[in-house]
């Protein structure tokens, strides 16, 4: 993870792209890439198997979402791993295991 | 990262939510959470400073995007770190540092 | 449609919100609202029936997407009806009825 | 608008694509197309002028969002124009003109 962050920063800086990377445009980019990831599943049924071609497409798209996520966190001083641990802490309280077991309410599904 | 992956799997499994987590719905969830992240910037100008309240909102939303990204990769057998390294390998060839320096073409900006 | 456009313009102008409506932020808003529409289907299977509660939620969300679409077109001088007719003209050439019948390729599905 | 709806239905049916058009996949498509619309503004500053090339790209993308919106409404029995009028009725109550004038709160901006 640390290696990846450094590599992305280096990639960005050797191309002088830091000047384009304001937080809002990075958030726009995450949404755009998330939609490209979603597009892989467009018109495919939920149970359709993930073959090698689909998996390759997914690998390419999750990488894009993740890269922009790391770059946004770098730009805004957020520790992504730490922030996610804290969110799980909160979700463990919001959705107690006993009462949430197998419940399908959309808002209870992370 | 490994600890985070294990924690998310455990969170999911103790609530019996694995049955909801087909890859397509996880991709839908990534898009939905990416839009909630984007919403933090809606009507805010690009140069607006990130104060503590905004940063806290961002931390919560990047955590959601990241969690679903990890869960999708878990479900489809993708190594997220590895896939991202491979994508950077490809991007380093697509956008040679010399010719890409400071160029603002949308398609050349990761 | 004309009445709707005029009503949205009046709604915006009596609140002095025109100053917030730059085209980029309107496009951001369309994406944010499209994700709220998608959220109605999150964790619901493709074949699940649309009951009254779901239909009411959908009505509210398609209205938001449509409103911002109209406001973006107003702002950029685009005739939405005309632009859509022209797009269908192009799609009729791209996807001849004979060869496209029932074909499930993602890129051929509008 | 009526002509457009009929043309889209005919376009869909002569290609036998109705079978792909379940409501969830149409909502996925709206999100995917909304992101392509947003992509036109990626890395462009908020105040950048809309030249002819950008306008042409926007026309093509708003047409796609609108087409899927019409097809989703057709599929779920929603009257898009009527639903939008009703939403504006509600918004007029939520955001009284007097107290909302020029206020920049994100949740108050339609």
């Amino acid at each position: 993870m640390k290696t990846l962050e450094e590599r992305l920063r280096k990639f960005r800086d050797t191309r002088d792209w830091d000047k384009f990377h304001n937080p809002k445009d990075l958030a726009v980019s995450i949404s755009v890439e998330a939609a490209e990831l979603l597009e892989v599943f467009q018109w495919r049924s939920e149970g359709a198997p993930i073959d090698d071609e689909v998996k390759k497409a997914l690998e390419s798209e999750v990488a894009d979402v993740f890269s922009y996520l790391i770059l946004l966190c770098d730009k805004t001083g957020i520790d992504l791993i730490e922030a996610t641990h804290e969110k799980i802490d909160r979700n463990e309280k919001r959705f107690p295991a006993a009462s949430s077991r197998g419940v399908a309410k959309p808002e209870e599904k992370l």
Side-chain angles (χ1 to χ4, degrees), chain A residues 37-87:
Chain A
L37 173 59
L38 182 58
E39 200 177 0
V40 177
F41 294 100
Q42 199 185 12
W43 314 121
R44 290 174 55 85
S45 71
E46 282 145 11
I50 308 289
D51 61 26
D52 281 357
E53 194 191 359
V54 172
K55 192 178 171 185
K56 221 175 143 182
L58 291 179
E59 284 173 337
S60 181
E61 301 302 342
V62 294
D64 285 341
V65 176
F66 192 34
S67 296
Y68 280 122
L69 207 52
I70 290 173
L71 289 165
L72 173 62
C73 289
D74 179 67
K75 210 67 195 170
T76 53
I78 290 174
D79 183 320
L80 180 58
I81 300 276
E82 181 60 25
T84 308
H85 274 299
E86 283 171 14
K87 186 69 182 252

Side-chain angles (χ1 to χ4, degrees), chain A residues 2-3 12 15 17 20 22 28 34-35 41 43-44 50 54 57 75 84-85 88 94-97 101:
Chain A
K2 284 288 158 214
T3 323
R12 176 193 69 195
R15 280 154 191 79
W17 285 354
F20 301 115
N22 68 74
V28 164
F41 294 100
W43 314 121
R44 290 174 55 85
I50 308 289
V54 172
K75 210 67 195 170
T84 308
H85 274 299
I88 303 175
R94 274 175 72 203
F95 309 121
R101 271 194 73 80

Side-chain angles (χ1 to χ4, degrees), chain A residues 8-25:
Chain A
L8 280 166
R9 263 194 298 265
K10 201 184 154 196
F11 182 88
R12 176 193 69 195
D13 293 337
T14 53
R15 280 154 191 79
D16 194 20
W17 285 354
D18 188 49
K19 62 183 173 190
F20 301 115
H21 284 192
N22 68 74
K24 185 174 183 173
D25 272 320

